[in-house]
Amino acid sequence: MNILSTVSQFMMLAADETTAFRSIEYDTPDTGWGWLLLLGGLALVLALSIRTIWKDAFQLPLFWRCWLTGLRLAVLIALIVIVFNPHERTQKMSFRPSRVAVLVDTSLSMRHPNQLVPANASSPASRNVPSRMEAIEKLLADSPLIADLQKKHQVSIYTFDQALKGPHHVYQREAKTGTAPPDKTADGETAKAEAEVDWNTLLQPQGLETRLGELLGQLIREINGSTLSGIIVATDGASNAGTDLLSANEAAKEAKVRLITLGVGSPTRPANLQVSKIIAPTDVQFGDAFEITALLQAVGMPGKNITLELLKKLPGDAEPTVVDSREILLPTEDGLPLDIKFERTPAEEGEINYVIRVRGNQLAQDANAMDNELEHTVNVFSRPTRVLVIAGGPMRDYRFARTMLFRHPSIKSDVWLQSAPPGVSQDADQLLYEFPARADLFEYDVVLAFDVNWSLLTDEQMLNLNEWVSSGGGGIVMVAGDVFTPRLSQESDKFQPILELYPVFINSFVRDYLDQEATQIRRIEWPQAGLDAGFLMLTDDPATSKELWETFPGLYRCYPSNGAKAAATVYAHFPDPKTQTEHGFSILMASQYYGEGRCFYLGSPEMWRLRSVDEDYYDRFWTKLIRNVGQGRTRRGTKRGTLILERDEYVLGQTVSVRVRLLDPEFQPLVQESVPMEVIDPRGRPLVPNLLLMQDRNRPGEYTASFRASLPGKYRFNVTVPNSKGQVVEGSLNVLLPRLEDESLSQNVKGLKELARDTGGSYLTLEEADTIPALLPDQGEEFLVDERLKTLWDQAWVFFLIAGLLATEWLTRKLFKLS
């Protein structure tokens, strides 16, 4: 049926742009044939009705004949009106405004300069290039972009980095012509609030990563609809986490959403010099020399001269002071790593903060001055290193090393010469005549084992030694010899706890080789790992040390081995063809981490020959070796506790796992449900609530906990060992800002163009931002809010009217006796 309607009322409500319509409608035939049948039928009914009335009342006067005819026609007309079903339709229509979303990148890469620093920049003013975020802020706050968009669209502001945030503000579309101004409506306060947006606070670069593809796809899913005109993405395009940009492009094309990418930052990679890493020990014995290595990486600064400074800051110092500096010529090849070494010998105990800083006039074009310095903390301790020296016999290496250790001011050494009867004099702080008890063993930091007769140890003592290394963090140096070392492989089941400590496989078929007289001296063969090992350097200069080892005449004999274990590091080989196997030459030096401790293997007892070059080199070799293998004990702070961290440096936001191994007064694993740990954050405040270390059911004596590193800087840990009279296990770690946002300093123009491709949008620069409104059509639409139908004939008076007409006709006919 067709609907004929007549608009009877129109109203516009400016506040919500709602329109009301009221109309009278009728049900009518849909086609011409329908109308023909309807009108034909009505004409036939009317004709028959008139004919019948005139025929029945032909004897009556003309007036009464017309009266009866009029009554019948009135009834028929009323019925005809009911057939057309007259009804009133009331409708309310509302208007959905076109929408535009502005998505702004707030990751840390937006703090970088928006343009390249001029090549001739010399004054601070000429180097003061606005950041990428400052350029975006100026566009949104000072340009007419948002006002122009408001003429057709509702504008919503979103931000993103590692998460999507917003909408922070929604700018309403300008009201239609002829309506009340927005600030005079009931919603007038909105316009005032929009004018007071604090862009500087809202647009602060703070995100540690950029999930552009992932979060843009999320925004498309959240706000997509028929009125969405498009999304403006203001970013440098440096997406370094989450899904790739292609996924967001596909989501936009599928949802038919226009993407306009507004690129910031220079498309040319800017010049930059960064201190990428500091390599240095975290714990150093007072008086020992150590090395600080700074790794530099430069881009766009070929052949320039810079100054690299080493600064030191002690507790209580307001500012660090320069203690060393180097003039560096940067390499001509971009991105080539450059390592600069500084030698230090601490003259004070405690915690020392060292800062590596780059300075120089050549850094005027440096795009990121925030990566020009890096900090590292070294803990200098003065507790003497306790060494237990065990020898199967009075070999020369044992005698020279024993005497050197006894004279060393920061080493206390006890000696057990297994072949010596009681009363024999030895250079030592204490003479032993048997392997120490478990509690006494855990007082030592390092064990030097010179071709030890392991059969003099009981099974329990061998297990104690194994546990002292693995659980107690002890360091052991095992020197192979011709007398007792062969027994290890010949009785492997008996000496299994000892063999597990060796980083190499001991050869059992060596008797023929050992029985032969060694007549030829051979130089040591050094792989790269040996040349790079700082604890094996005879001087502070790597080049000089290498020359000294090359001039060292060498050794006559090395115990044969069958290769290194999987986790071992090989530092030196002994190139004797007689001992060469399918695994290569015999291993002279190798080490491995075993649990919390470290094991070092020395395949020859002839290192005393190093004294022929210089006695100081021999002393330095043993001193640095002992310091290296004993790190697991000397940095502990207490004999009854070990703080175990997966690493010394974490990235902000990562979860830090802390493990503590504790012993009771008998040096057995401590067993209780939990142990409290105090954590001090980089601001010097305790972590609230305090960390509670829970017992690890699978590892007796070990307790674990974890927390999220929410602040950059140094975290400190303190655990008081239960029933220890105040012994404290201490430790620390550094939380660094991630460098993801500093890896790409140029604008990803290609990625931003690909992001907008085939979406109906476009890639634009900041200078082209004024063309954005023309690219976004008005997608506003009207929609039905409410509709009501009211039947006009279905009322009591209509029925009374029809009934009255019929009753009047019937009475008239009765009066004239027509029926």
Side-chain angles (χ1 to χ4, degrees):
M1 301 288 285
N2 286 330
I3 298 177
L4 299 176
S5 62
T6 302
V7 178
S8 61
Q9 188 175 3
F10 171 86
M11 179 174 57
M12 172 73 74
L13 301 177
D16 55 5
E17 300 188 50
T18 300
T19 308
F21 296 92
R22 184 173 295 131
S23 61
I24 305 299
E25 300 178 351
Y26 306 89
D27 292 344
T28 59
D30 295 329
T31 64
W33 285 105
W35 277 104
L36 181 61
L37 291 174
L38 177 62
L39 295 177
L42 291 176
L44 180 61
V45 170
L46 288 173
L48 290 175
S49 297
I50 294 172
R51 180 178 178 280
T52 302
I53 293 173
W54 279 90
K55 183 178 179 181
D56 289 345
F58 73 93
Q59 295 178 347
L60 297 180
L62 181 61
F63 172 79
W64 293 108
R65 293 174 69 183
C66 292
W67 171 258
L68 290 173
T69 303
L71 291 174
R72 179 63 60 87
L73 290 176
V75 172
L76 289 175
I77 291 172
L79 293 175
I80 291 172
V81 170
I82 292 175
V83 169
F84 280 97
N85 186 27
H87 54 272
E88 181 185 69
R89 182 185 298 272
T90 303
Q91 292 181 313
K92 287 186 178 181
M93 301 295 292
S94 188
F95 180 76
R96 288 192 183 101
S98 179
R99 296 174 295 131
V100 169
V102 179
L103 183 62
V104 182
D105 185 353
T106 55
S107 63
L108 287 176
S109 66
M110 297 293 284
R111 74 191 192 280
H112 296 313
N114 186 45
Q115 301 172 347
L116 292 179
V117 179
N120 58 353
S122 57
S123 65
S126 62
R127 295 195 298 265
N128 188 20
V129 177
S131 69
R132 300 168 186 178
M133 188 59 80
E134 289 171 344
I136 293 294
E137 180 182 338
K138 183 177 181 181
L139 174 68
L140 297 179
D142 300 336
S143 78
L145 176 62
I146 291 182
D148 290 344
L149 290 172
Q150 281 184 273
K151 294 176 181 178
K152 295 181 180 180
H153 315 280
Q154 179 190 83
V155 184
S156 302
I157 307 298
Y158 293 82
T159 59
F160 79 99
D161 35 59
Q162 63 258 42
L164 179 65
K165 307 178 188 72
H168 301 287
H169 295 278
V170 178
Y171 293 87
Q172 299 299 329
R173 191 190 67 141
E174 287 184 357
K176 292 182 179 179
T177 305
T179 64
D183 58 349
K184 294 183 180 180
T185 66
D187 197 30
E189 293 299 322
T190 303
K192 181 179 178 181
E194 291 173 354
E196 297 176 354
V197 175
D198 187 355
W199 291 105
N200 187 48
T201 301
L202 179 63
L203 303 181
Q204 278 295 324
Q206 56 187 347
L208 304 177
E209 58 187 20
T210 307
R211 296 178 174 267
L212 175 54
E214 175 185 325
L215 298 180
L216 179 55
Q218 177 184 335
L219 180 62
I220 291 172
R221 292 189 294 272
E222 289 181 1
I223 68 173
N224 186 32
S226 58
T227 60
L228 180 62
S229 181
I231 300 176
I232 304 168
V233 187
T235 177
D236 54 17
S239 184
N240 49 42
T243 57
D244 58 17
L245 300 182
L246 181 61
S247 63
N249 175 261
E250 293 295 332
K253 290 189 291 187
E254 182 178 351
K256 298 181 179 179
V257 174
R258 295 174 185 83
L259 294 183
I260 296 178
T261 52
L262 194 60
V264 293
S266 172
T268 304
R269 189 175 184 182
N272 183 55
L273 174 65
Q274 68 168 337
V275 182
S276 58
K277 191 174 182 180
I278 294 179
I279 302 174
T282 56
D283 297 86
V284 175
Q285 174 75 41
F286 177 76
D288 283 358
F290 67 96
E291 207 171 63
I292 299 176
T293 302
L295 298 183
L296 307 182
Q297 201 163 16
V299 174
M301 299 182 179
K304 291 190 176 181
N305 291 303
I306 55 101
T307 301
L308 188 66
E309 296 178 337
L310 175 66
L311 299 90
K312 180 179 72 172
K313 183 180 180 182
L314 300 175
D317 290 349
E319 296 292 335
T321 57
V322 178
V323 294
D324 200 353
S325 65
R326 304 281 176 82
E327 296 297 324
I328 307 298
L329 181 65
L330 295 177
T332 56
E333 183 178 347
D334 271 355
L336 189 68
L338 187 66
D339 60 286
I340 310 298
K341 300 182 185 298
F342 294 92
E343 296 292 335
R344 301 300 301 164
T345 301
E348 53 276 304
E349 299 178 32
E351 196 173 81
I352 304 176
N353 287 330
Y354 288 99
V355 178
I356 298 291
R357 183 172 68 189
V358 179
R359 302 190 70 179
N361 294 330
Q362 302 284 0
L363 299 178
Q365 292 180 262
D366 194 350
N368 184 20
M370 289 172 282
D371 59 7
N372 287 355
E373 67 177 52
L374 208 57
E375 184 176 330
H376 182 80
T377 301
V378 176
N379 180 41
V380 180
F381 63 92
S382 61
R383 181 177 66 82
T385 303
R386 292 208 56 188
V387 180
L388 172 62
V389 183
I390 307 176
M395 61 183 67
R396 287 188 179 182
D397 245 356
Y398 155 73
R399 297 201 303 269
F400 287 126
R402 174 205 62 195
T403 302
M404 182 274 297
L405 295 176
F406 178 66
R407 295 173 180 175
H408 200 289
S410 63
I411 296 177
K412 288 188 176 182
S413 59
D414 296 342
V415 171
W416 178 28
L417 180 59
Q418 294 176 309
S419 62
V424 174
S425 175
Q426 299 289 318
D427 290 331
D429 292 287
Q430 183 180 356
L431 293 178
L432 304 180
Y433 299 100
E434 61 181 5
F435 193 76
R438 177 185 174 88
D440 295 333
L441 174 63
F442 274 77
E443 294 293 329
Y444 293 104
D445 301 313
V446 177
V447 170
L448 295 186
F450 291 91
D451 194 19
V452 172
N453 183 3
W454 297 109
S455 62
L456 297 182
L457 276 66
T458 65
D459 292 344
E460 181 182 359
Q461 288 173 333
M462 286 189 282
L463 289 173
N464 286 343
L465 180 62
N466 186 290
E467 184 181 349
W468 171 79
V469 176
S470 63
S471 301
I476 183 170
V477 178
M478 295 163 289
V479 182
D482 299 348
V483 181
F484 298 109
T485 301
R487 297 185 186 179
L488 287 174
S489 57
Q490 294 166 2
E491 303 177 54
S492 58
D493 292 341
K494 178 181 179 180
F495 299 116
Q496 188 61 35
I498 302 301
L499 285 171
E500 289 176 355
L501 301 177
Y502 275 78
V504 302
F505 294 102
I506 301 298
N507 194 323
S508 58
F509 303 100
V510 296
R511 182 49 56 190
D512 291 342
Y513 170 76
L514 297 178
D515 288 341
Q516 297 177 10
E517 183 179 0
T519 58
Q520 183 177 352
I521 195 169
R522 303 181 188 277
R523 296 183 184 276
I524 300 174
E525 185 178 276
W526 295 95
Q528 192 61 43
L531 297 175
D532 294 339
F535 67 94
L536 293 177
M537 293 182 182
L538 301 179
T539 66
D540 294 335
D541 181 30
T544 306
S545 176
K546 180 181 178 181
E547 291 177 4
L548 288 172
W549 278 118
E550 289 175 349
T551 57
F552 175 52
L555 312 172
Y556 281 89
R557 178 171 289 177
C558 175
Y559 191 90
S561 59
N562 287 336
K565 294 182 179 178
T569 301
V570 177
Y571 299 107
H573 287 97
F574 184 71
D576 186 353
K578 295 179 182 179
T579 61
Q580 188 173 11
T581 66
E582 66 271 17
H583 304 288
F585 291 124
S586 291
I587 296 173
L588 177 63
M589 300 180 194
S591 73
Q592 70 172 0
Y593 286 99
Y594 186 74
E596 296 304 313
R598 192 171 188 186
C599 309
F600 188 89
Y601 170 77
L602 185 57
S604 173
E606 298 181 30
M607 292 308 297
W608 58 270
R609 298 185 186 278
L610 193 58
R611 293 166 57 89
S612 64
V613 181
D614 193 314
E615 185 176 341
D616 288 340
Y617 296 154
Y618 180 79
D619 294 350
R620 182 185 179 100
F621 171 81
W622 281 108
T623 301
K624 296 187 73 172
L625 178 58
I626 288 171
R627 298 286 193 226
N628 182 264
V629 299
Q631 288 183 66
R633 296 284 296 181
T634 55
R635 60 188 298 183
R636 290 158 53 91
T638 173
K639 305 291 184 182
R640 288 181 48 197
T642 306
L643 177 66
I644 306 168
L645 298 172
E646 293 179 357
R647 52 187 184 272
D648 295 327
E649 292 182 344
Y650 283 79
V651 175
L652 187 66
Q654 287 185 327
T655 298
V656 178
S657 297
V658 183
R659 180 177 293 271
V660 176
R661 182 176 291 116
L662 301 174
L663 303 176
D664 63 17
E666 286 73 37
F667 289 90
Q668 297 292 339
L670 179 70
V671 179
Q672 61 184 53
E673 285 298 319
S674 61
V675 176
M677 167 182 276
E678 184 181 40
V679 181
I680 306 299
D681 68 19
R683 300 170 300 182
R685 303 174 185 173
L687 200 66
V688 179
N690 256 346
L691 214 58
L692 191 64
L693 297 162
M694 303 304 297
Q695 182 184 14
D696 187 338
R697 303 292 181 183
N698 299 320
R699 297 183 178 182
E702 294 192 14
Y703 300 82
T704 63
S706 61
F707 68 96
R708 185 179 177 84
S710 57
L711 293 172
K714 175 169 287 189
Y715 282 82
R716 304 174 188 274
F717 309 99
N718 296 300
V719 179
T720 301
V721 182
N723 304 318
S724 65
K725 298 181 181 180
Q727 292 188 36
V728 177
V729 180
E730 297 179 327
S732 64
L733 60 84
N734 286 317
V735 175
L736 308 175
L737 289 173
R739 301 231 171 179
L740 279 175
E741 295 299 312
D742 295 332
E743 290 179 357
S744 179
L745 297 178
S746 58
Q747 182 190 152
N748 182 12
V749 176
K750 181 181 178 181
L752 293 179
K753 287 182 177 180
E754 288 294 316
L755 188 59
R757 182 174 55 86
D758 297 335
T759 65
S762 178
Y763 163 78
L764 301 174
T765 63
L766 282 178
E767 292 74 18
E768 300 169 321
D770 57 347
T771 65
I772 291 177
L775 299 175
L776 297 171
D778 189 345
Q779 295 289 102
E781 62 181 13
E782 287 188 334
F783 65 98
L784 182 64
V785 177
D786 185 32
E787 181 177 55
R788 295 182 182 181
L789 293 176
K790 180 181 178 182
T791 304
L792 299 179
W793 60 267
D794 189 12
Q795 301 185 44
W797 68 269
V798 176
F799 291 99
F800 285 125
L801 174 63
I802 294 174
L805 292 172
L806 291 173
T808 303
E809 181 187 3
W810 181 77
L811 288 175
T812 303
R813 294 176 70 87
K814 278 292 186 180
L815 180 64
F816 290 104
K817 298 180 181 181
L818 296 179
S819 58

